[in-house]
Amino acid sequence: MAQLWGGRFTKETDKLVYDFNASISFDQKLYKEDIKGSIAHVTMLAKQGILTEDDKVAIIDGLNGILEDIENGSLQITSEYEDIHSFVEANLIDRIGEAGKRLHTGRSRNDQVALDMRMYTRSQVAQTDALLNSILETLLSMMEANLDTYMPGFTHLQKAQPVTLAHHLGAYFEMFKRDRQRMHDIYERMNYCPLGAGALAGTTYSLDRAYTAELLGFTGPTLNSMDSVSDRDYLIEFLAALSTIMMHLSRFSEEVIIWNSNEYRFVEIDDAYSTGSSIMPQKKNPDIAELVRGKTGRVYGALMSLLTTMKGIPLAYNKDMQEDKEMAFDAMNTVQDCLHLFTGMLDTMKFRKDVMAESAMNGFTNATDAADYLVVKGVPFRDAHGIIGRLVLYCIDKNTSIDKLSLEELKSICDVFDEDIFDAVSLKTCVEKRLTLGAPGMEIMKRVIEEEKEFLAGFPVLEA
Ligand code: ARG
């Protein structure tokens, strides 16, 4: 047990208390941010004349040595230190002696951890943005290749109207596009530097907070020291956005699972992304999609956990806030893994276009178009709806479909029907005539795809 704060104490910390209090087992993830933050801090201290140039150089060399040794594996982060901040500082003092003891001048672990966590989260936001961008690129090229891959569109999981695979995938494109926009919003709002807030009330040293903020790539310094050490809004926003990404991935997974089922057979998941059964030799299971759907729960859990942790905390820092890390780290990892794997699964999945088209032709997906046909011929829509309803009943009774009826049969239900009805209710016409902006018709889909390409080109991935 090595602590930074022994002076005021006359007894050793109880071993159980020490373990319960310690965070190094999980906050060691922050070592890089902690070191970078310290380098910026001492650079500023020296510029302000609070630290000598010699001390600054010694400290920075020492910190860079620690960083290098952690990364090449020669320095293990061990649990004899309470947290990553103590570990780095104690190591620095071991390495460079006296000068190391000056590192923490004008700083508290409260603004230090606020900074570390913010920088770590900022780079996670950027990495998530990059993964979202690659799923968008994958979707866009799949859309271009499937402009006339017909399939049923559903409402209530009942066949409704025919659409195309490009159109269906386009819906997910919109979702992940909004997710990317959320990453950019969060990044911009969170990008203010809390360092210099001290324990809660700033410091008496003449710190140049704007300078440290600039060194660390922030837009500027935060404006209230109490808020700076106790704000975790940015993390809550990020977890909410991660939850939304998982909700999208989970819906998509659910569809892949349905499409992959023996009943639908719309897709075949690549062998590399499927698993078998220990007992049933015929099985090829969509485990990746199921796991993505399943892992949604733990990401929502992280959001609920942090919201609940934060709700009763008086200003300013309280140790409760150490609980912001474990579940948030888990959520960040989980979402990145899920995005990565899901994109790979999508990229290698085969669509059975014949099965999808066949399915789109069954189930009266052209009933609305048959009604619209009558409307064009002058029948009021409400009457046309009733006529086609009776026609559907007739077909169900005869176990057939609208396009397979003879003109006489059609005329026996409504004499407005003519030869041109067959073209009007063909699958191709039903889709290609849907040309309102956002609809599946090929011509309008092409225009939308062009617009999406322009969006991607003008929306660069955030820098990690
Ligand atoms: N491990 C702590 C955390 O994650 C660091 C801050 C400790 N500050 C303190 N006053 N005990 O929040």
Side-chain angles (χ1 to χ4, degrees):
M1 299 196 279
Q3 284 151 337
L4 300 172
W5 38 260
R8 187 213 183 281
F9 290 76
T10 52
K11 267 169 80 177
E12 281 277 301
T13 320
D14 180 273
K15 172 80 173 89
L16 280 178
V17 171
Y18 181 84
D19 290 344
F20 190 68
N21 192 47
S23 54
I24 193 144
S25 64
F26 49 87
D27 68 15
Q28 54 180 277
K29 259 191 189 314
L30 302 175
Y31 73 87
K32 210 183 297 169
E33 286 73 18
D34 198 73
I35 291 172
K36 280 187 184 164
S38 291
I39 291 176
H41 181 63
V42 295
T43 306
M44 179 277 293
L45 289 179
K47 179 180 90 70
Q48 297 301 96
I50 303 166
L51 210 66
T52 65
E53 272 301 307
D54 287 351
D55 281 346
K56 176 190 96 174
V57 171
I59 294 172
I60 293 179
D61 283 352
L63 288 170
N64 279 328
I66 294 173
L67 182 60
E68 223 179 282
D69 291 351
I70 293 175
E71 300 210 311
N72 68 27
S74 62
L75 178 60
Q76 303 296 326
I77 302 176
T78 50
S79 62
E80 67 202 270
Y81 297 95
E82 181 185 338
D83 54 28
I84 188 64
H85 327 295
S86 321
F87 173 85
V88 172
E89 189 176 328
N91 237 276
L92 182 72
I93 295 168
D94 276 355
R95 284 178 189 228
I96 68 166
E98 278 306 296
K101 296 182 187 165
R102 299 187 199 279
L103 165 66
H104 210 51
T105 313
R107 188 175 71 170
S108 156
R109 269 188 302 167
N110 297 350
D111 59 344
Q112 189 177 357
V113 75
L115 172 72
D116 293 3
M117 196 58 189
R118 205 177 275 242
M119 289 206 294
Y120 186 84
T121 305
R122 183 176 67 176
S123 90
Q124 294 288 314
V125 170
Q127 286 171 43
T128 309
D129 188 45
L131 286 164
L132 285 166
N133 190 56
S134 54
I135 199 167
L136 286 178
E137 281 173 350
T138 299
L139 283 170
L140 206 56
S141 59
M142 290 170 82
M143 285 160 71
E144 286 191 287
N146 289 286
L147 286 166
D148 57 357
T149 305
Y150 300 129
M151 65 182 287
F154 297 84
T155 61
H156 313 275
L157 204 51
Q158 311 250 357
K159 288 182 198 176
Q161 292 171 345
V163 294
T164 63
L165 181 56
H167 189 242
H168 197 114
L169 297 174
Y172 287 100
F173 186 96
E174 296 305 315
M175 295 180 224
F176 295 122
K177 176 179 166 184
R178 289 193 294 272
D179 289 329
R180 276 203 67 200
Q181 289 166 329
R182 270 184 275 276
M183 292 304 120
H184 287 240
D185 292 347
I186 292 169
Y187 192 103
E188 197 184 311
R189 197 164 24 254
M190 74 178 288
N191 202 26
Y192 291 86
C193 184
L195 195 62
L200 78 161
T203 77
T204 53
Y205 300 96
S206 61
L207 306 185
D208 184 346
R209 293 194 55 217
Y211 181 64
T212 345
E214 195 192 316
L215 289 177
L216 294 169
F218 287 98
T219 310
T222 52
L223 295 182
N224 182 289
S225 59
M226 283 186 141
D227 179 55
S228 305
V229 291
S230 63
D231 167 34
R232 297 295 182 272
D233 288 7
Y234 67 90
L235 192 52
I236 290 173
E237 278 190 52
F238 185 39
L239 291 173
L242 291 179
S243 296
T244 307
I245 294 172
M246 288 308 290
M247 181 268 288
H248 294 154
L249 282 174
S250 184
R251 291 180 72 179
F252 208 165
S253 294
E254 173 72 9
E255 298 216 272
V256 169
I257 293 162
I258 292 173
W259 292 347
N260 184 65
S261 68
N262 303 134
E263 281 68 26
Y264 275 76
R265 297 176 52 253
F266 281 10
V267 299
E268 190 175 338
I269 299 174
D270 196 81
D271 278 3
Y273 286 87
S274 320
T275 50
S277 156
S278 62
I279 176 168
M280 297 166 284
Q282 83 281 15
K283 284 281 202 162
K284 201 175 137 186
N285 297 327
D287 289 30
I288 298 308
E290 290 171 10
L291 271 174
V292 169
R293 188 177 58 182
K295 285 177 188 290
T296 305
R298 62 204 280 170
V299 178
Y300 290 2
L303 171 63
M304 280 307 130
S305 162
L306 187 57
L307 278 169
T308 311
T309 295
M310 293 304 294
K311 76 181 255 297
I313 302 186
L315 286 173
Y317 179 86
N318 294 259
K319 195 64 175 248
D320 316 42
M321 291 164 80
Q322 180 165 290
E323 285 295 310
D324 65 349
K325 294 182 190 64
E326 279 166 290
M327 291 183 75
F329 290 155
D330 179 79
M332 295 171 192
N333 274 340
T334 301
V335 175
Q336 289 188 22
D337 286 353
C338 289
L339 277 170
H340 199 120
L341 282 160
F342 197 92
T343 306
M345 180 181 69
L346 214 53
D347 221 6
T348 51
M349 205 160 70
K350 298 255 175 337
F351 288 88
R352 293 203 173 94
K353 298 185 182 187
D354 52 334
V355 178
M356 293 164 83
E358 181 63 29
S359 169
M361 281 191 285
N362 303 326
F364 304 102
T365 57
N366 54 3
T368 315
D369 299 83
D372 289 343
Y373 168 88
L374 293 177
V375 170
V376 172
K377 303 260 172 183
V379 181
F381 180 77
R382 195 45 62 207
D383 292 342
H385 189 282
I387 294 166
I388 303 302
R390 288 200 296 284
L391 194 63
V392 168
L393 259 186
Y394 177 88
C395 290
I396 292 171
D397 193 44
K398 297 253 177 304
N399 193 20
T400 184
S401 56
I402 298 175
D403 43 291
K404 292 201 184 92
L405 295 176
S406 68
L407 191 55
E408 291 77 69
E409 283 174 298
L410 288 161
K411 277 194 182 290
S412 73
I413 287 170
C414 174
D415 62 6
V416 177
F417 283 121
D418 221 330
E419 267 305 327
D420 55 351
I421 177 64
F422 298 107
D423 180 55
V425 297
S426 77
L427 184 57
K428 189 171 163 60
T429 309
C430 289
V431 174
E432 299 311 343
K433 276 191 134 175
R434 292 192 145 71
L435 291 171
T436 38
L437 180 64
M442 187 184 298
E443 285 318 307
I444 197 68
M445 272 301 305
K446 280 185 184 161
R447 249 184 57 196
V448 167
I449 288 175
E450 280 320 303
E451 209 169 297
E452 304 295 19
K453 279 187 184 165
E454 275 167 36
F455 165 79
L456 287 185
F459 204 67
V461 171
L462 292 166
E463 260 174 67

